[in-house]
Amino acid sequence: MINFEYTRVSSVKAAVDTLAKNPTGGFIAGGTNLIDLMKKGVTTPTRLIDINNLPLKDIEETIAGLKIGALAINSEVSQNEIVKEKYPLLMMALKAGASAQLRNMATVGGNMMQRTRCTYFYDIAMPCNKRQPGSGCGAFQGYNRMHAIFGASNKCIAVHPSDMCVALAALNATVTVSGPKGERKILFTDFHRLPGDNPEKDNTLLKGELITGVTIPKNNFTKNVYYLKIRDRASYAFALISVAAALELNGNTIKAARLAMGGVAHKPWRLTEAEKFLTGKTATKENFTKAAELAMKGAKAYGHNDFKLKMGPIAIVEALMKAAQ
Amino acid sequence: MDNEKTCPGHNETNLYASRRNFLRTSTALAALAVASPVIVKAGENDEKIAALFEKMPLQIEVNGMAHSLSVEPRVTLLDLLREQLHLSGTKKGCDHGQCGACTVHVNGKRINSCLSLAVMNEGKKVTTIEGLANGDKLHPMQEAFIKHDGFQCGYCTPGQIMSAVACINEGHASNEEEIKEFMSGNICRCGAYPNIVDAIMDVKKGGQSL
């Protein structure tokens, strides 16, 4: 690993100020992705600002919903009693991600900040517009089995690898960030971005901003939820496709529906048209199939990932069926 | 000797004073030079800084023994254990958090030591495979791995055992399926998985305190 300067800070203000003074540096929390990227030479921060001592670990219920500190550990969030009882979709998504060891290290903020696992991004001998803007995309005509079917551009067809983020997008969470200009809130669905002409930008954070927490508004998605993750092995692999499904049922009638997919786009992919279609309908396989058809509109594959066009609608129906049970 | 080892309970010399040259505390004066009121305030914060190639002091307890060390920020906990403390039981497999061979417990929780910077473990308690046995008496999980033939080449075994102990302590070993899911962060290329699961089931049934 390349050498770097190291700073340990104890307040949000100090963290933000230290980054402002060291613009080529970066924050480190759990480090599970960052250390990996640094060992590969993909990321080369000149200074690491260790934020683990910041008071951002709490998980608390407020009138508005659930407030999760950016430094709350993934395993602790998934085992939290309030999360288990009132936000089970988040619990399921967290448990589907990574391994028990990694979940004991990874933080909520770090999970959001993880980079794509596109092999061309990780291999510094290959072109990658995300790693080195303008160098080209190795995946576009390469081995693109894991890659996007929605919202990609001719510059980048990488996907965001998180499971947790798919659930948070479905649950209409909000991200709180602190920066040199103070605090602001970003809708979770606006946090990650599509690649467009700037795939080097994963998200809409402004220069020098630090994620301080995530808030999930109160909801009634406590019973009929399911996080389906399809991967190459039974556990501990990134999603080929994942689906977060949440239904609020009144008898067999869908009062409200939330759907999001992982492993298909540069960001957690909300299926708003399918959600609208399902609202007021009965929870039947037929309706779920129609919703899945709507959801897959505009999907485009790149060769090795053609199977995702077929797998996508099946996964959506499966997740909805499981959620409705 | 680069490392100062201290047994638990021993009074240590003031590490921070003796290694002051390794530390630079950001002061209000330094911050004033930037002349921003925001930054001046940040200067009052307790910032430990290691410059390039500078070592940081590190207080860490490993298998019940307190150590006062000095490490470069880029040294991982895994390399610290193996290279500086000569505890080579913890293995380096992939070095990227994918295989689990480097699994240790930090403050009672299993982690991948290859993805944790040593300096980020200041004041923490680490348990490695060397810390499980009680003298010559093997830990119940070590006994069970032998009894059930839970390994072939043995390279993944320290990580498997550390993970297995945590798996039971976490309450994630109630059945075979759950064990498989919660042991998925430890790869065994010899394919001893069924026997590893048997070993964990056996220890779980035994109900011993781990």
Side-chain angles (χ1 to χ4, degrees):
Chain A
M1 203 182 331
I2 55 120
N3 225 326
F4 49 85
E5 297 178 313
Y6 174 84
T7 308
R8 204 177 284 154
V9 292
S10 50
S11 72
V12 170
K13 198 161 193 39
V16 169
D17 292 344
T18 306
L19 186 63
K21 282 185 272 176
N22 303 275
T24 52
F27 299 125
I28 184 162
T32 56
N33 187 209
L34 183 59
I35 300 296
D36 187 28
L37 290 166
M38 287 171 68
K39 284 182 178 179
K40 293 263 187 189
V42 176
T43 309
T44 51
T46 55
R47 176 185 294 245
L48 287 188
I49 303 160
D50 183 346
I51 56 169
N52 284 293
N53 288 340
L54 304 192
L56 302 172
K57 293 187 174 75
D58 292 343
I59 306 166
E60 48 179 341
E61 210 173 8
T62 65
I63 312 160
L66 187 72
K67 215 175 132 198
I68 307 171
L71 290 173
I73 301 295
N74 280 191
S75 58
E76 282 168 18
V77 179
S78 72
Q79 286 158 29
N80 180 278
E81 289 305 321
I82 306 161
V83 173
K84 281 202 254 183
E85 189 194 335
K86 296 181 178 169
Y87 305 90
L89 184 65
L90 175 61
M91 175 202 73
M92 292 172 93
L94 279 165
K95 281 187 164 175
S99 67
Q101 288 97 313
L102 290 169
R103 293 195 294 267
N104 276 342
M105 306 170 79
T107 63
V108 166
N111 190 319
M112 293 165 60
M113 293 301 288
Q114 65 180 311
R115 311 297 308 273
T116 182
R117 260 55 174 204
C118 172
T119 47
Y120 297 94
F121 172 72
Y122 256 81
D123 185 347
I124 58 169
M126 297 299 292
C128 171
N129 287 322
K130 182 181 278 299
R131 178 172 26 80
Q132 206 181 339
S135 62
C137 172
F140 203 76
Q141 291 186 312
Y143 186 62
N144 47 36
R145 188 165 174 275
M146 297 297 287
H147 290 73
I149 52 170
F150 290 116
S153 73
N154 59 3
K155 296 270 169 68
C156 180
I157 59 170
V159 298
H160 193 263
S162 171
D163 293 297
M164 178 196 82
C165 292
V166 180
L168 288 175
L171 294 172
N172 276 348
T174 306
V175 188
T176 310
V177 304
S178 253
K181 287 178 185 168
E183 195 178 271
R184 71 183 179 111
K185 291 186 190 307
I186 308 169
L187 275 178
F188 201 92
T189 44
D190 292 337
F191 182 82
H192 296 100
R193 60 185 291 285
L194 292 177
D197 286 335
N198 300 93
E200 72 277 10
K201 285 184 185 161
D202 291 347
N203 54 56
T204 54
L205 273 181
L206 299 176
K207 206 169 173 52
E209 281 182 328
L210 169 75
I211 302 169
T212 56
V214 172
T215 306
I216 310 173
K218 262 192 183 158
N219 63 61
N220 293 319
F221 303 111
T222 52
K223 197 169 155 272
N224 295 107
V225 299
Y226 197 75
Y227 188 77
L228 176 76
K229 186 174 181 183
I230 303 172
R231 44 193 156 178
D232 282 330
R233 53 186 185 196
S235 175
Y236 194 24
F238 292 103
L240 292 165
I241 285 184
S242 69
V243 181
L247 296 171
E248 192 185 337
L249 294 177
N250 187 0
N252 201 31
T253 306
I254 301 165
K255 265 181 83 180
R258 298 279 179 77
L259 277 171
M261 288 174 99
V264 295
H266 198 259
K267 62 186 286 186
W269 194 250
R270 256 305 269 280
L271 312 177
T272 41
E273 267 195 59
E275 290 174 7
K276 267 186 221 152
F277 170 81
L278 287 172
T279 309
K281 302 272 191 325
T282 49
T284 61
K285 190 169 184 180
E286 201 188 357
N287 281 330
F288 294 159
T289 306
K290 280 184 191 156
E293 274 168 28
L294 281 173
M296 293 303 292
K297 257 198 219 162
K300 183 179 185 295
Y302 297 89
H304 294 281
N305 68 347
D306 287 353
F307 72 94
K308 288 192 181 184
L309 300 179
K310 224 176 190 181
M311 187 188 269
I314 298 169
I316 294 167
V317 174
E318 170 93 2
L320 283 165
M321 292 292 285
K322 288 246 167 72
Q325 270 170 22
Chain B
M1 278 243 330
D2 193 26
N3 304 336
E4 301 164 10
K5 290 187 186 177
T6 319
C7 287
H10 278 213
N11 213 354
E12 296 187 4
T13 51
N14 186 335
L15 183 86
Y16 285 90
S18 66
R19 295 184 189 275
R20 189 168 286 154
N21 54 330
F22 291 123
L23 285 176
R24 276 187 286 130
T25 304
S26 141
T27 65
L29 260 182
L32 265 174
V34 189
S36 150
V38 177
I39 291 168
V40 170
K41 239 194 156 180
E44 294 160 7
N45 271 289
D46 177 31
E47 295 183 9
K48 302 282 188 304
I49 299 172
L52 275 182
F53 302 106
E54 260 187 338
K55 288 186 176 181
M56 288 268 294
L58 172 67
Q59 308 270 10
I60 193 166
E61 189 183 307
V62 181
N63 299 332
M65 187 182 272
H67 295 274
S68 297
L69 307 166
S70 163
V71 292
E72 271 187 36
R74 65 173 163 175
V75 173
T76 61
L77 178 59
L78 172 62
D79 286 339
L80 179 90
L81 292 169
R82 289 182 57 87
E83 308 297 333
Q84 239 171 303
L85 299 180
H86 308 296
L87 293 168
S88 54
T90 306
K91 301 301 181 211
K92 183 181 278 197
C94 67
D95 208 24
H96 288 277
Q98 296 173 8
C99 75
C102 69
T103 303
V104 299
H105 298 176
V106 173
N107 287 354
K109 288 190 172 164
R110 52 173 157 165
I111 64 144
N112 298 115
S113 61
C114 73
L115 291 181
S116 180
L117 295 176
V119 290
M120 288 166 66
N121 291 279
E122 168 73 26
K124 292 188 178 166
K125 292 180 179 176
V126 179
T127 306
T128 70
I129 189 72
E130 290 92 342
L132 282 191
N134 187 1
D136 285 340
K137 193 174 159 32
L138 291 180
H139 184 276
M141 192 62 78
Q142 292 173 311
E143 296 272 17
F145 265 64
I146 294 169
K147 182 180 159 195
H148 292 276
D149 205 11
F151 49 87
Q152 188 174 310
C153 83
Y155 198 81
C156 74
T157 313
Q160 296 279 3
I161 290 177
M162 295 312 288
S163 211
V165 171
C167 187
I168 291 181
N169 285 341
E170 290 162 8
H172 291 141
S174 52
N175 55 53
E176 230 180 277
E177 202 185 336
E178 193 181 26
I179 291 171
K180 284 181 184 171
E181 171 58 39
F182 280 87
M183 288 297 290
S184 67
N186 293 80
I187 309 292
C188 169
R189 287 290 88 137
C190 301
Y193 298 115
N195 299 1
I196 292 170
V197 173
D198 287 349
I200 299 171
M201 295 279 280
D202 198 359
V203 176
K204 169 77 167 121
K205 272 184 213 139
Q208 294 129 302
S209 147
L210 303 180

